[in-house]
Amino acid sequence: MKQKLPMTSAILTNKFERRTFVLGMAQAGVGTLLAVRLGYLAIFENDKYKAASESNRVNLSLIPPRRGWVLDRFGQALASNRADFRVDLIPDRVVDADATLSTLSGLLGLTADKVGDIKDKMEKARGFQPVEVASNLDWEKFAAVSVRLPELPGVIPQRGYSRFYPTGASVGHLVGYVGPASAEDYEKERNPLLITPGFKIGKDGLEKSFETRLRGVPGARRVEATASGRVVRDLGTREDVPGKPIQLTINAGLQDYAARRIGLESGSVVVMDCETGDVLAMVSMPSFDPNSFSDGIGRIEWKMLSDDDHVPLRNKVLRGLYPPGSTVKPMVALSFLEAGLDPEASVGCAGGLRVGNRVFHCWNHRGHGTTNMAKGIYQSCDVYFYHFAQQIGMDTIATMAKRLGLGQEFPMPYPGQSYGTVPDPAWKKRKYKTDWAIYDTVNATIGQGYMLVNPLQQATMASRIASGLKLSPRLLLDRHAPRPESMGFKQEHLDYIHAAMNEVVNGRGTAGKARLPIEGVQMAGKTGTAQVVGLNVGNGKGGLWKHRDHGHFICFAPFDKPKFACAVVIEHGGGSGAAYPIARDVMTYVFDPAKAMAVLEDFEKQWGGNVQQRMAAKYNAFAAQYGAAAPAAPDEQQASEEVAAENKPMPEPTAAQTDAAPPAPEPVPITDPAEQSAPAPVASPSPAAIPGT
């Protein structure tokens, strides 16, 4: 057995020295590594950490650019910007959402339904997307939130500019609206500006079509801040570059007047310049207020809009499709003249026309007697057009309809126009695999059956008949655009049609109450009534709103030297009697705004106020009835899909029609001057006098 040597001081000293050496080497190694690392960081990574340090010390934030204005032809703002105090939330920075919203509710006076809307948006938004809490705040409320920021993480008070639409719903479908960028928008651009609190992009209409032009370039602000985020000093600000404005052909006053004059009806008004094709007004009502839409659709507003059977989310000018009724008769008559028909050729109207073993009825069952072309237009005799359309043929009529703009899509800055249908034998054979029949011609010549048009096409037709020029509706102002070319019509043909349409309003026609109360100015026009349901369901004049006939009216003035053309369509108005009083007042505004406004103000007293006042009253009624119990508004994608569904064009029949559509009755011509709403103004004689009947 090996004996253990005794422990001596020499052995202990030796062990200690060895361990000290090992430990010292280890420490030296660590020190060397630290020195190398520190040297690497100090020398090779100097720029990186200097930038990081500067970033911690200096905060850089983007300043949303001021959006370019949308102006009317005279420079009046249709969409502008106004100084705004607002409060936003960044969801992923909020610690306690319920407590934060409770505090904000007390400070800002938020209603229960508004709080519900904010919670809905926070749930649907990605964490980095700002959610608007309130905008257009006064200084007291803004300051009250600002001083409570330490206890409200994720709350961002902002001073900047917000989009403002001075006339509200009057330009909803014309201009569109803006809103916060969605996650899909951010994924497309990966632009940090899109997630900057307060920044909004175009979501619909012109705001969307001209987003690149209107957006502008963001500014930036650099501030020195402590580690806790307290601002020490401003280091500099780079101003934003505002977006470029766009100027439209629209007359802002006329646009607002037309929107207000539609009143409680559901309809559209288009006014065009007969020399240039400029669109002076393009109105679809009821509409939405883009000022409130820009903040995100709330549950009360969505409930109010979605429950409205007048479909305020549909752009009726571009997306509405309607049988045009008798408004096509001047077009049909022009096709007869161009085909060589003598305008004095007549037919006896006894209330119907027998073709083979069938009778096609006129709207006036008592008949119109001997009827030539002029009388066929101003008394809207269906039998006249039944008779001569068979001789001329539908191909000729359809060609004229397309020349005048029906069935056409125009280069307007809006996606997805509904261009409707101008039927002819080849179209029917292609679509339904059946031959054209006599009742198809009967239907088409009175604007029923397969024929479908939108109000912009009707206004274009009226302007081309009025001017003889190939006018195309345009919305962007161009004061140096070349004069439109001639349509190639014979002037005597246009004069004859003009004189007959003048007789509709100022003589023996169906719209005597449409006379303009303007001395020396006469308006020519044509009424139209389009059936919605069969006579077995209703007479089209009363009963359920959805069962009433559509009312149409096209016109131009002055009739002897046309300057302005107009088309009015009133959905389920009960006939043309709902359309031509609106056209009369809108055209009165063109020549005498004060006289037209006096009429409108009397109407609005009966209707419960102007558009904004009626919408506010309706909103308050819905809020009182539903409050926070109203169903949550859809997210942006769902809302867009629902709006798109509302804007689907009217489908064509899935099966070919097999009979003539019974003509809808027109207003009874006024023969007693005492019944006229205004005395007939004096005008220059027509270039082509209407023969006596």
Side-chain angles (χ1 to χ4, degrees):
M1 183 174 177
K2 189 174 181 182
Q3 285 189 343
K4 199 173 183 182
L5 295 174
M7 183 63 62
T8 64
S9 60
I11 295 174
L12 289 174
T13 300
N14 186 45
K15 286 184 177 182
F16 177 78
E17 289 176 350
R18 288 200 305 270
R19 292 175 181 175
T20 301
F21 177 78
V22 172
L23 182 59
M25 291 300 294
Q27 289 175 332
V30 172
T32 301
L33 289 174
L34 288 174
V36 172
R37 179 61 176 166
L38 288 174
Y40 175 78
L41 295 176
I43 298 173
F44 297 101
E45 299 254 301
N46 177 65
D47 291 341
K48 172 183 175 181
Y49 287 99
K50 184 177 180 180
S53 175
E54 185 71 7
S55 178
N56 289 334
R57 184 181 70 86
V58 178
N59 288 338
L60 178 67
S61 58
L62 292 177
I63 300 174
R66 287 161 289 177
R67 199 165 177 83
W69 287 25
V70 180
L71 306 172
D72 84 334
R73 66 189 300 110
F74 305 115
Q76 184 173 337
L78 298 171
S80 60
N81 305 310
R82 62 181 176 186
D84 185 22
F85 292 112
R86 54 182 294 116
V87 174
D88 293 312
L89 277 173
I90 306 297
D92 63 358
R93 298 182 190 173
V94 176
V95 176
D96 186 336
D98 291 334
T100 299
L101 288 176
S102 177
T103 301
L104 291 175
S105 296
L107 296 174
L108 302 176
L110 304 178
T111 60
D113 59 276
K114 179 63 176 176
V115 173
D117 290 337
I118 295 170
K119 288 181 177 179
D120 292 339
K121 293 173 187 175
M122 290 178 69
E123 290 176 0
K124 295 170 183 176
R126 295 190 180 182
F128 54 78
Q129 287 180 272
V131 172
E132 182 173 302
V133 175
S135 61
N136 197 27
L137 298 173
D138 57 38
W139 170 251
E140 287 74 16
K141 289 182 177 180
F142 180 79
V145 173
S146 298
V147 299
R148 301 285 293 275
L149 288 183
E151 61 188 84
L152 296 172
V155 175
I156 301 178
Q158 295 268 49
R159 287 180 290 182
Y161 294 89
S162 64
R163 202 59 160 167
F164 178 58
Y165 304 90
T167 56
S170 299
V171 298
H173 288 294
L174 173 69
V175 177
Y177 63 96
V178 297
S182 66
E184 290 74 17
D185 295 324
Y186 180 75
E187 290 297 330
K188 289 178 184 177
E189 290 192 39
R190 288 289 178 177
N191 186 343
L193 178 62
L194 299 187
I195 57 175
T196 301
F199 179 71
K200 295 179 179 179
I201 64 174
K203 292 291 185 179
D204 188 41
L206 300 180
E207 293 279 24
K208 184 175 182 180
S209 297
F210 293 97
E211 171 63 24
T212 302
R213 180 182 179 89
L214 294 171
R215 179 181 293 187
V217 179
R221 181 188 180 209
R222 294 174 68 246
V223 297
E224 185 176 358
T226 64
S228 62
R230 183 174 64 86
V231 175
V232 176
R233 59 172 175 156
D234 276 313
L235 297 177
T237 300
R238 185 188 71 217
E239 294 295 330
D240 65 294
V241 178
K244 296 179 181 179
I246 58 173
Q247 190 165 18
L248 307 182
T249 59
I250 295 293
N251 177 331
L254 181 63
Q255 175 81 14
D256 188 51
Y257 182 88
R260 292 169 62 182
R261 181 58 185 85
I262 289 175
L264 307 181
E265 302 283 2
S266 173
S268 55
V269 174
V270 180
V271 181
M272 289 178 60
D273 187 309
C274 289
E275 296 177 355
T276 63
D278 287 355
V279 177
L280 304 178
M282 190 170 77
V283 177
S284 173
M285 294 297 286
S287 182
F288 56 88
D289 186 346
N291 289 304
S292 55
F293 250 54
S294 296
D295 300 334
I297 305 171
R299 59 184 65 210
I300 296 298
E301 186 157 17
W302 184 258
K303 177 72 174 171
M304 184 175 77
L305 293 171
S306 58
D307 283 3
D308 193 337
D309 59 0
H310 285 31
V311 201
L313 296 177
R314 178 186 298 155
N315 185 336
K316 300 174 179 66
V317 172
L318 298 176
R319 282 298 202 175
L321 285 179
Y322 313 91
S326 295
T327 58
V328 300
K329 288 176 180 175
M331 175 274 294
V332 176
L334 186 58
S335 74
F336 291 173
L337 290 172
E338 292 290 303
L341 180 67
D342 183 351
E344 290 307 304
S346 300
V347 64
C349 174
L353 179 70
R354 178 174 293 278
V355 179
N357 61 353
R358 302 174 63 183
V359 175
F360 299 112
H361 295 284
C362 183
W363 71 265
N364 185 347
H365 291 269
R366 292 175 297 178
H368 291 101
T370 301
T371 303
N372 63 3
M373 183 180 290
K375 187 176 180 180
I377 293 173
Y378 69 70
Q379 291 200 358
S380 202
C381 177
D382 297 311
V383 166
Y384 174 85
F385 290 94
Y386 295 161
H387 176 77
F388 288 108
Q390 295 177 69
Q391 297 181 19
I392 302 299
M394 191 61 207
D395 283 319
T396 299
I397 297 170
T399 299
M400 179 61 70
K402 293 172 183 176
R403 284 182 70 190
L404 292 179
L406 302 188
Q408 307 302 302
E409 185 172 5
F410 303 108
M412 301 285 281
Y414 301 93
Q417 297 173 44
S418 298
Y419 49 84
T421 303
V422 174
D424 58 31
W427 171 86
K428 185 178 180 182
K429 189 72 172 179
R430 183 172 62 252
K431 184 168 183 64
Y432 298 112
K433 307 297 187 292
T434 58
D435 293 328
W436 190 262
I438 186 62
Y439 51 76
D440 292 320
T441 301
V442 168
N443 289 343
T445 53
I446 62 171
Q448 292 276 178
Y450 299 118
M451 187 168 285
L452 293 172
V453 302
N454 67 40
L456 182 63
Q457 293 169 348
Q458 288 183 288
T460 302
M461 176 178 70
S463 68
R464 290 182 178 182
I465 290 175
S467 66
L469 300 176
K470 192 175 181 179
L471 298 172
S472 183
R474 67 183 187 194
L475 207 54
L476 293 182
L477 187 63
D478 181 359
R479 300 189 189 278
H480 304 291
R483 178 177 171 82
E485 63 184 35
S486 171
M487 295 284 294
F489 298 132
K490 293 181 179 179
Q491 188 59 47
E492 58 265 31
H493 292 171
L494 292 176
D495 291 342
Y496 190 92
I497 299 297
H498 293 178
M501 292 178 69
N502 181 57
E503 193 80 8
V504 170
V505 177
N506 301 295
R508 296 157 286 180
T510 55
K513 291 184 179 180
R515 289 183 177 180
L516 294 182
I518 308 294
E519 184 177 355
V521 180
Q522 290 186 338
M523 180 174 74
K526 183 66 191 81
T527 55
T529 298
Q531 281 195 323
V532 176
V533 296
L535 295 177
N536 60 319
V537 178
N539 64 6
K541 304 302 175 187
L544 291 177
W545 180 75
K546 286 272 189 180
H547 292 168
R548 299 175 192 170
D549 295 338
H550 296 318
H552 297 258
F553 191 69
I554 61 170
C555 58
F556 54 85
F559 99 91
D560 51 344
K561 293 182 180 179
K563 173 62 178 172
F564 306 102
C566 177
V568 177
V569 178
I570 300 300
E571 294 183 331
H572 309 292
S576 59
Y580 61 69
I582 295 174
R584 174 199 63 208
D585 294 342
V586 168
M587 294 295 272
T588 298
Y589 183 93
V590 172
F591 296 99
D592 190 338
K595 184 172 288 188
M597 287 301 300
V599 173
L600 176 61
E601 288 166 359
D602 287 341
F603 279 126
E604 289 185 333
K605 290 176 183 177
Q606 304 170 35
W607 296 335
N610 60 30
V611 176
Q612 288 89 340
Q613 292 167 338
R614 296 198 306 271
M615 290 182 72
K618 187 174 182 179
Y619 183 95
N620 292 336
F622 269 72
Q625 180 177 357
Y626 298 102
D635 60 29
E636 183 181 300
Q637 184 62 32
Q638 292 171 329
S640 298
E641 290 173 358
E642 293 199 32
V643 171
E646 293 288 4
N647 281 281
K648 283 185 178 179
M650 182 185 297
E652 294 173 342
T654 55
Q657 297 177 14
T658 58
D659 203 354
E666 293 292 342
V668 176
I670 295 175
T671 55
D672 183 356
E675 296 181 22
Q676 303 284 6
S677 62
V682 178
S684 302
S686 167
I690 296 177
T693 55

